[in-house]
Amino acid sequence: QVQLVESGGGLVQAGGSLRLSCAASGRIITIGAMGWYRQAPGKQREFVARITTDGSITNSDSVKGRFTISRDNDKRTLYLQMNSLKPEDTAVYYCNAHLVDGDYVSNNYWGRGTQVTVSS
């Protein structure tokens, strides 16, 4: 069974930093594009950043220059380095991955999320 497990969230003051991780496990043949999304209370889930297998990156305008997405394909792990955090970055952060599982089925997977809270 494929799982995506996020970690690294927490409470931080405005201007601080956090590093999120997302580890993929289970019967996986290959992992394609991976990304981070977030959902603030009372709002819809929104795109944060995405990285392809060859390292091509797309960021939302709201995090450009502050957040950096990266991945370690050998470790099957996705990262999000978040600097200069603002109170409006407060949300549950979700990991997303397109992958082919052990049954050779391509699907889109989500983690359960990790809470990031930025105090002013």
Side-chain angles (χ1 to χ4, degrees):
Q1 185 176 356
V2 173
Q3 279 191 314
L4 299 179
V5 179
E6 302 96 336
S7 61
L11 173 64
V12 64
Q13 287 188 332
S17 299
L18 284 174
R19 189 192 194 206
L20 305 184
S21 298
C22 170
S25 63
R27 296 174 64 232
I28 299 171
I29 301 300
T30 184
I31 303 176
M34 303 181 79
W36 290 99
Y37 291 73
R38 66 186 182 187
Q39 188 167 16
K43 295 187 176 181
Q44 290 189 330
R45 190 173 298 189
E46 65 173 3
F47 168 76
V48 175
R50 177 180 181 267
I51 184 169
T52 63
T53 52
D54 63 0
S56 178
I57 291 172
T58 305
N59 292 308
S60 70
D61 289 341
S62 61
V63 306
K64 279 180 181 177
R66 300 188 300 121
F67 291 10
T68 302
I69 189 171
S70 62
R71 63 191 287 172
D72 185 326
N73 292 326
D74 290 337
K75 294 183 178 179
R76 294 178 171 176
T77 302
L78 177 70
Y79 303 99
L80 186 67
Q81 178 66 44
M82 305 187 294
N83 299 328
S84 303
L85 282 161
K86 305 175 182 179
E88 50 264 44
D89 294 318
T90 295
V92 177
Y93 283 71
Y94 296 92
C95 173
N96 173 268
H98 293 271
L99 58 85
V100 177
D101 66 20
D103 293 324
Y104 292 90
V105 174
S106 176
N107 217 332
N108 187 36
Y109 288 85
W110 292 91
R112 292 189 174 185
T114 185
Q115 176 70 47
V116 171
T117 303
V118 184
S119 63
S120 56

